[in-house]
Amino acid sequence: MGLFEKIFGTHSQNELKRIYPIVDHIEALEPQMQKLSDEELREKTREFRERLEGGETLDDILPEAFAVVREASVRVLNMRHFRVQLVGGIVLHQGRIAEMKTGEGKTLVATLPAYLNALPGQGVNIVTVNDYLAKRDAEWMGKIHEFLGLTVGVVLNSMSNDERREAYNCDITYVTNNELGFDYLRDNMVIYKEQLVQRGMKYAIIDEVDSILIDEARTPLIISGQSGKSTRLYEACDILARQLQKGEASGEFSKMNAIMGEEIEETGDFIVNEKEKNINLTEDGVKKVEQFFHIENLADPENLEIQHNIILALRAHNLMFRDQNYVVKDDEVLIVDEFTGRIMPGRRYSDGLHQAIEAKEHVKVKRESRTLATITFQNLFNKFEKKSGMTGTALTEEAEFRDIYGMDVIEIPTNLPVQRIDMNDVVYKTKKEKYNAVIDAVCEAHEKQQPVLVGTITIETSELLSKMLTRRGIRHNVLNAKFHEMEAEIVAQAGQHGAVTIATNMAGRGTDIKLDDEAKAAGGLKIIGTERHESRRIDNQLRGRSGRLGDPGESKFYLSLEDDLLRLFGSERLMGIFNALGVEEGEEIEHKMLSDVIEKAQKKIENNNFGIRKNLLEYDQVMNEQREIIYEERRRVLNGESMRDAIFHMVTEFVENAVDSNIPADLDYEDWNLGVLNRELLAVIPSMAAVTDEDVKGKEVKQLKHLLKERAVKAYEEKETEFPEAEHLREVERVFLLRVIDAKWMAHIDDMDQLRQGIGLQAYGQRDPLVEYKMLGYDMFGEMTQAITMDTVRLLFHVRVEQKVEREQVAKVTGTNKDDSAVKAPKVRSEKKVYPNDPCPCGSGKKYKQCCGRKK
């Protein structure tokens, strides 16, 4: 055990000592709860709520509340919380992470803090990794809460806005991390308060917390709309990518090579770096691209799009693999989640990569998307006032949980000792030898009727092993992203004696495999891993499927030198050892040194991924501060607040900016260029009196600003008198503010995206890219707010009471449900002249002279 584990092991023990007296109190209340009738037990919910209103805290009523849930669970589900589950429930209530081994009943543990924290009536979100678990847990554990008089909802991918709103308004809501995030983003794009689906972010219990807050935190959530770009370039680049030859480099190019003037020899047309997952064209490759597109210099700025797209096409062919990273189903490319093995419906790779894969697979290439809203999981979950999590594997990431989320990890002891035997890894020279050994091990276990679960990383491997088992005549089930509809049925049978199940990572999370008596007698569930995952936690999750609740079991990983992990990150000495030992085909090597090499390789990748996540968070922190300001302003508009003061501030700010940009402070009034100033002011505020030489005589810039602000405010007050009711103009203000804020914010997200992609070049100028990004991002945000001010003021000074103006979304998002409830705004019309042959403004499709113009 390393120093890290010792320190945090002691921390857990000390914290548990503080928790045990509370658990003793809960257990002492059990006889008292058993005496209550169902009605009396249910009545406790009302009593607790009254006590909270009377000034008691959640901590005050915790022992009684937990005892109530424990008794309700016995009556409804015939499941009684173990002592260690009560410990886990307290840790979750305290806003910490409970590390509980697989099979210890984490799902049941969540019912305790969920009930307690739902009592104030502000909602509790229980976050799971997929729809299947959210639905299962809501139906299963929801019975306890409903028995006690609480409402339970579940949010699924297929639900409409009304169904989502109803679910979020329940006392306890089961939802996946993706749906929670996308609903948050969509809520900040709606145009009427009635369209909001979420209500505040009070308390979240995150199941499989390491998967959600760490594994998935490398990729931000993005809501996209279609851009106007053509898709033909993707198809052209795909044709070229198939003609280019993959080459090799004599070494990795670094800054030191450049300084020393060393040249790297390259062959072929492009070089693939599998470790960094990037691709570079060689000199020959650049020439071929230039010839293909008939351009002189690929590096010219106008050819940036071609350069970007050919790299995307090469990535699609050399780094993205069918039945591993994605599947093709019904003429559509669907992403496979690398951590769970599940298909992610509606999700698309950004930056044109999805289109490049569509071109590669010869399916319809959909238009490239434009980012409308985005957030990282780190910033999303840090919005909750309190959050907690549970998982079987979190201690290795304790530092990251503390650093980024402010949560510590408490190790909860198991109810019964773990009986599973974890064997050393065995390594073969080739994949073929490894797969043969796996099939032999399956056959051996199958003969004695021991159930076997074979874990694979890719769909391709699961299908290959399935064919090999079929040839041996062994009946088996396959569980992967292609057959996920049958998941529950397959998993339920996996613990029966004689059962053989092949599964991608899907079986590793949240699925319970129960053994029958014959299976236990045969040695319990045998886990066979066919490859090590990048993350040790994923491997531990697979192992944890066996040996639940003190059951017998065993686990063993079969590896080969051709596996990606060993090929890319393992020591080259491994091949030397194999050759030195004269290992023959089919022979295995099992040695502690091998296990150390594999663990070091995994740690190397984990550290690399932590760097990616931290980097993503640091860059998103800039956007997060800006996002908070914009979303807060939007929410004020949605809540129907009067924006009159904000508009007046915008009017005066616009005047101030106009003066600052046209009248230098060090010039005397005789030298001021009033013509330019008037043009800028009157283009936006036409009803304002122009400033004359007489007006400015003897005045300083400060006095000029004061004079113009007074005139601008007076002009706006006159505009108010044009409306029969003040509230009419207030709604018009809200309409225009929403429209302008949304349009400018979406353009700003795009601009920040472009800035982020090019900012890395600052490093070559000895500048920190992150510092430069923060400074430039701050300046760009300032420019955006100025543009919002100018556009809003211009729109408001150019309206007349006559034409209907309603709120409308600036960009359409595919998949959201449009709500028809709309507050009717006054009729206003723009001062823009309509000519007889123009399309009629009423939207009839006729010419103005044939429609409304004729009536006049």
Side-chain angles (χ1 to χ4, degrees), residues 226-374:
Q226 286 190 347
S227 76
K229 287 185 186 174
S230 165
T231 60
R232 293 180 69 180
L233 184 57
Y234 293 105
E235 288 153 0
C237 287
D238 181 68
I239 292 166
L240 177 57
R242 292 172 191 274
Q243 298 169 15
L244 298 179
Q245 299 295 313
K246 182 179 174 182
E248 289 183 358
S250 58
E252 285 187 25
F253 191 79
S254 65
K255 284 185 193 174
M256 188 54 71
N257 297 129
I259 293 164
M260 301 298 289
E262 293 175 13
E263 287 192 11
I264 301 293
E265 286 185 21
E266 297 174 331
T267 61
D269 300 320
F270 63 93
I271 308 294
V272 179
N273 185 334
E274 291 184 76
K275 282 187 188 178
E276 303 295 330
K277 292 201 168 28
N278 62 33
I279 287 176
N280 290 306
L281 289 167
T282 63
E283 269 187 57
D284 290 346
V286 170
K287 283 176 189 166
K288 286 185 182 175
V289 175
E290 287 169 348
Q291 286 167 6
F292 185 86
F293 285 104
H294 305 293
I295 55 177
E296 284 184 17
N297 185 4
L298 181 63
D300 281 349
E302 62 262 30
N303 297 326
L304 200 62
E305 196 176 352
I306 292 175
Q307 194 180 333
H308 178 64
N309 279 42
I310 190 63
I311 295 295
L312 285 177
L314 290 169
R315 276 184 68 194
H317 280 277
N318 296 278
L319 291 172
M320 307 303 293
F321 302 105
R322 185 169 178 164
D323 290 344
Q324 181 176 333
N325 305 105
Y326 64 90
V327 296
V328 178
K329 195 175 180 182
D330 300 330
D331 205 34
E332 195 178 351
V333 172
L334 301 168
I335 300 176
V336 174
D337 187 327
E338 64 174 306
F339 298 106
T340 63
R342 289 179 167 84
I343 284 175
M344 300 196 286
R347 293 283 288 274
R348 290 176 66 80
Y349 294 114
S350 60
D351 204 27
L353 180 58
H354 210 98
Q355 285 78 2
I357 296 169
E358 286 170 334
K360 167 192 166 184
E361 296 295 345
H362 301 299
V363 301
K364 188 179 186 305
V365 180
K366 293 182 182 170
R367 293 214 161 190
E368 194 176 327
S369 54
R370 172 186 173 216
T371 301
L372 305 180
T374 175

Side-chain angles (χ1 to χ4, degrees), residues 741-781:
I741 286 173
D742 286 353
K744 298 295 180 191
W745 174 242
M746 286 168 193
H748 179 69
I749 291 173
D750 256 6
D751 293 343
M752 291 291 282
D753 223 22
Q754 297 290 326
L755 175 66
R756 170 83 190 274
Q757 285 174 24
I759 204 76
L761 297 172
Q762 295 286 345
Y764 293 108
Q766 305 300 310
R767 291 174 178 170
D768 183 339
L770 181 61
V771 172
E772 292 294 312
Y773 179 76
K774 284 179 179 175
M775 287 165 61
L776 289 168
Y778 180 78
D779 291 345
M780 286 163 66
F781 188 73

Side-chain angles (χ1 to χ4, degrees), residues 203-222:
Y203 176 51
I205 300 172
I206 307 164
D207 192 10
E208 307 298 358
V209 67
D210 58 316
S211 172
I212 290 172
L213 295 190
I214 289 183
D215 294 333
E216 296 204 23
R218 277 192 291 168
T219 315
L221 290 170
I222 296 170

Side-chain angles (χ1 to χ4, degrees), residues 495-522:
Q496 305 300 305
H497 63 283
V500 176
T501 310
I502 301 173
T504 47
N505 292 335
M506 294 177 82
R509 291 271 181 191
T511 45
D512 218 2
I513 300 173
K514 292 178 182 173
L515 304 179
D516 59 20
D517 292 336
E518 293 95 324
K520 286 178 185 174

Side-chain angles (χ1 to χ4, degrees), residues 4-5 210 215 393 395-397 509 532-543 557 565 595 598-607:
F4 178 88
E5 283 83 359
D210 58 316
D215 294 333
T393 45
L395 210 59
T396 53
E397 313 297 341
R509 291 271 181 191
R532 282 284 196 166
H533 197 274
E534 285 184 0
S535 165
R536 288 171 292 169
R537 289 191 322 279
I538 307 290
D539 294 337
N540 292 339
Q541 284 283 343
L542 178 63
R543 273 202 165 118
F557 279 84
L565 186 77
S595 300
I598 291 155
E599 194 161 324
K600 274 181 190 168
Q602 287 179 311
K603 279 183 181 172
K604 206 184 284 183
I605 297 173
E606 283 168 13
N607 289 337

Side-chain angles (χ1 to χ4, degrees), residues 522-680:
L525 182 63
K526 182 184 182 81
I527 300 289
I528 295 177
T530 59
E531 198 171 331
R532 282 284 196 166
H533 197 274
E534 285 184 0
S535 165
R536 288 171 292 169
R537 289 191 322 279
I538 307 290
D539 294 337
N540 292 339
Q541 284 283 343
L542 178 63
R543 273 202 165 118
R545 294 296 105 209
S546 173
R548 57 183 290 286
L549 296 174
D551 285 345
E554 59 184 272
S555 72
K556 189 172 184 176
F557 279 84
Y558 291 73
L559 316 175
S560 86
L561 295 184
E562 293 177 346
D563 293 351
D564 286 348
L565 186 77
L566 294 179
R567 186 170 58 81
L568 298 175
F569 296 92
S571 166
E572 288 182 9
R573 289 186 308 162
L574 279 179
M575 187 58 89
I577 293 167
F578 266 73
N579 293 333
L581 292 172
V583 177
E584 293 178 18
E585 189 172 330
E587 198 176 329
E588 66 180 47
I589 281 192
E590 187 177 335
H591 194 279
K592 191 180 182 305
M593 196 197 89
L594 285 174
S595 300
D596 291 345
V597 168
I598 291 155
E599 194 161 324
K600 274 181 190 168
Q602 287 179 311
K603 279 183 181 172
K604 206 184 284 183
I605 297 173
E606 283 168 13
N607 289 337
N608 190 29
N609 289 342
F610 175 48
I612 293 170
R613 288 189 295 271
K614 190 141 191 183
N615 191 44
L616 175 73
L617 182 64
E618 284 171 342
Y619 277 95
D620 191 61
Q621 210 55 48
V622 180
M623 279 295 284
N624 194 51
E625 288 161 13
Q626 298 177 1
R627 190 190 295 117
E628 293 289 321
I629 295 166
I630 292 293
Y631 285 0
E632 192 179 327
E633 195 68 17
R634 271 192 113 260
R635 197 54 67 100
R636 282 182 62 206
V637 177
L638 286 182
N639 286 338
E641 288 183 33
S642 169
M643 304 308 292
R644 188 174 189 268
D645 291 345
I647 297 297
F648 270 93
H649 177 70
M650 282 182 169
V651 169
T652 55
E653 190 184 343
F654 163 69
V655 169
E656 184 135 355
N657 291 336
V659 173
D660 286 341
S661 61
N662 292 295
I663 308 291
D666 54 350
L667 284 184
D668 290 332
Y669 71 90
E670 295 101 331
D671 301 320
W672 291 350
N673 190 340
L674 298 181
V676 176
L677 178 62
N678 277 326
R679 270 199 301 278
E680 185 168 330

